[in-house]
Amino acid sequence: MTQDFLTTPAKILITGADGQIGYYLNQIAQDEPFFSVVALTDAELDISSRDQVQQQLDRHLPDYVINTTGFNAVDQVEVESDRCLALNRDAVENLANACGDLAIPLLHLSSDYVFDGHYESGYTEADQASPLGLYGESKWQGEELLRGALPQHVILRVSWVFSTIGDNFMRRALLQAKGQEEIFAADDRRGCPTSASDIARVIVAILKQLHNGAENWGTYHYCCAEITTRYGFTEAVLAAAGQYEKLKAEKLVPISSSQLGSDAERPASSVLVCNKLLNDFGIHQLPWRSQLVAMIRDYYQNEELSKA
Ligand SMILES: NC(=O)c1ccc[n+]([C@@H]2O[C@H](COP(=O)([O-])OP(=O)(O)OC[C@H]3O[C@@H](n4cnc5c(N)ncnc54)[C@H](OP(=O)(O)O)[C@@H]3O)[C@@H](O)[C@H]2O)c1
């Protein structure tokens, strides 16, 4: 879109606005004078419905659509495989086709799970996808269908998303630490935790540049800086939360992922290399530790969340 960015705000339509990333994107974009925001929850727009997508696009005529929906319940995938494929693959194609018909660029979120996790040094956008399970496969197929349907797309792969809302490993660690004396965390999988608000910052920065005329379409990686394990992250969660309340947990025990008893196979090392985002958009990685401190502060400042 080559418009005068300073005088013409970009109208963005966010799908899945009640989710982790959708929620923070809506908050951050609303504070930006350069955006006019339409944020639609799943109750307001089911992206698997062609009619609903068409109606909302016709009604709002956005400059960009940002798809933050996703079936992310990795452990539920085997029993809910139809739902997973319907949302992560088929609905993405539906949205991409509708955006394509109206020439509306689509920014879509994908996952580190498109990789098998064997590269310890990290994955670049040029590396071959090789998902281990249906979740990663569904995200990969959604990406491919989007690439085929709409050249004006940005696919932003992110990893290990945490926030104050929804079901994520920061909140799960806090709930366990409030209720148990001993808690367990896997120390054999490497990755980069990434806060939903930081991903929202990155999306806003990308959209501003696209709206200013940058033609950087394609696939990008973003995660916060510093590789850790779930154990390392949980340790940091407990330290940060301990500033606000006396947690019941006294002992954090490192275990292997196989001891956690999860059905789904997960990548052992799913570090995303983010140089392309830096080179094309000038966007730097922020450390997850400072993002975590901010999220924990938000969690305790919101009484309802800290009691949850
Ligand atoms: N979470 C992670 O660790 C992680 C890691 C890598 C990549 N990602 C990707 O990042 C994106 C956002 O993840 P997230 O953690 O923010 O997800 P999330 O918190 O689960 O939010 C997803 C939102 O999509 C909504 N939704 C479900 N079906 C829908 C439909 N048919 N139409 C419209 N909305 C629908 C959900 O509503 P309900 O809650 O009512 O179902 C929810 O509000 C996804 O593409 C995900 O694959 C996430």
Side-chain angles (χ1 to χ4, degrees):
M1 294 252 137
T2 48
Q3 299 176 25
D4 184 346
F5 176 63
L6 291 175
T7 54
T8 317
K11 190 174 205 184
I12 64 171
L13 187 150
I14 303 169
T15 68
D18 267 353
Q20 296 194 79
I21 297 173
Y23 172 83
Y24 279 96
L25 179 59
N26 185 20
Q27 300 291 311
I28 291 174
Q30 294 274 7
D31 283 344
E32 290 274 348
F34 306 118
F35 292 111
S36 142
V37 184
V38 178
L40 302 176
T41 66
D42 59 329
E44 292 161 323
L45 170 60
D46 172 358
I47 67 154
S48 58
S49 157
R50 178 74 202 216
D51 286 350
Q52 287 189 31
V53 169
Q54 197 64 57
Q55 272 172 14
Q56 294 289 4
L57 293 185
D58 287 345
R59 179 170 168 211
H60 296 290
L61 291 175
D63 294 309
Y64 304 90
V65 172
I66 299 94
N67 179 31
T68 74
T69 71
F71 180 96
N72 302 318
V74 178
D75 287 319
Q76 291 297 316
V77 158
E78 295 310 322
V79 282
E80 293 192 74
S81 54
D82 289 352
R83 253 189 89 202
C84 173
L85 289 168
L87 185 55
N88 291 350
R89 182 191 62 188
D90 304 339
V92 173
E93 183 181 29
N94 183 42
L95 195 58
N97 284 334
C99 287
D101 289 348
L102 293 169
I104 300 170
L106 174 60
L107 190 153
H108 171 68
L109 286 153
S110 189
S111 167
D112 52 331
Y113 277 51
V114 301
F115 298 115
D116 59 20
H118 294 144
Y119 280 9
E120 291 225 338
S121 54
Y123 288 91
T124 72
E125 294 81 354
D127 288 318
Q128 185 57 48
S130 171
L132 291 174
L134 186 63
Y135 170 74
E137 183 62 38
S138 69
K139 295 299 291 183
W140 170 244
Q141 289 184 18
E143 286 189 9
E144 285 286 86
L145 288 163
L146 169 53
R147 287 187 191 98
L150 177 61
Q152 285 81 16
H153 67 259
V154 170
I155 294 169
L156 186 65
R157 293 186 185 135
V158 297
S159 69
W160 292 25
V161 181
F162 66 90
S163 75
T164 55
I165 56 170
D167 180 28
N168 62 73
F169 53 97
M170 182 194 95
R171 280 178 53 97
R172 281 198 295 276
L174 282 171
L175 290 181
Q176 286 177 0
K178 285 165 185 274
Q180 297 165 213
E181 282 177 1
E182 195 174 57
I183 63 173
F184 303 86
D187 69 346
D188 57 353
R189 291 199 297 114
R190 300 165 72 249
C192 296
T194 306
S195 86
S197 60
D198 192 30
I199 295 168
R201 168 191 71 92
V202 169
I203 293 172
V204 161
I206 291 173
L207 290 173
K208 279 183 176 177
Q209 293 186 49
L210 294 178
H211 202 56
N212 237 351
E215 292 277 343
N216 296 331
W217 308 113
T219 303
Y220 290 89
H221 288 175
Y222 184 74
C223 59
C224 281
E226 193 192 321
I227 300 168
T228 188
T229 61
R230 293 291 167 126
Y231 178 87
F233 183 76
T234 306
E235 204 172 34
V237 170
L238 301 189
Q243 306 293 316
Y244 294 89
E245 70 169 316
K246 171 99 182 84
L247 298 165
K248 189 166 181 188
E250 287 176 352
K251 197 170 170 197
L252 174 63
V253 184
I255 57 171
S256 66
S257 300
S258 58
Q259 286 174 284
L260 282 171
S262 155
D263 291 339
E265 199 179 352
R266 291 172 157 84
S269 182
S270 55
V271 176
L272 299 172
V273 175
C274 305
N275 294 346
K276 189 179 167 200
L277 194 71
L278 178 62
N279 293 338
D280 287 4
F281 287 101
I283 298 172
H284 287 266
Q285 291 172 278
L286 296 183
W288 61 260
R289 286 184 189 276
S290 56
Q291 297 294 303
L292 174 66
V293 167
M295 275 293 173
I296 294 282
R297 187 191 56 226
D298 288 354
Y299 177 89
Y300 281 100
Q301 279 177 354
N302 184 333
E303 221 173 299
E304 271 181 33
L305 288 173
S306 59
K307 282 184 186 150

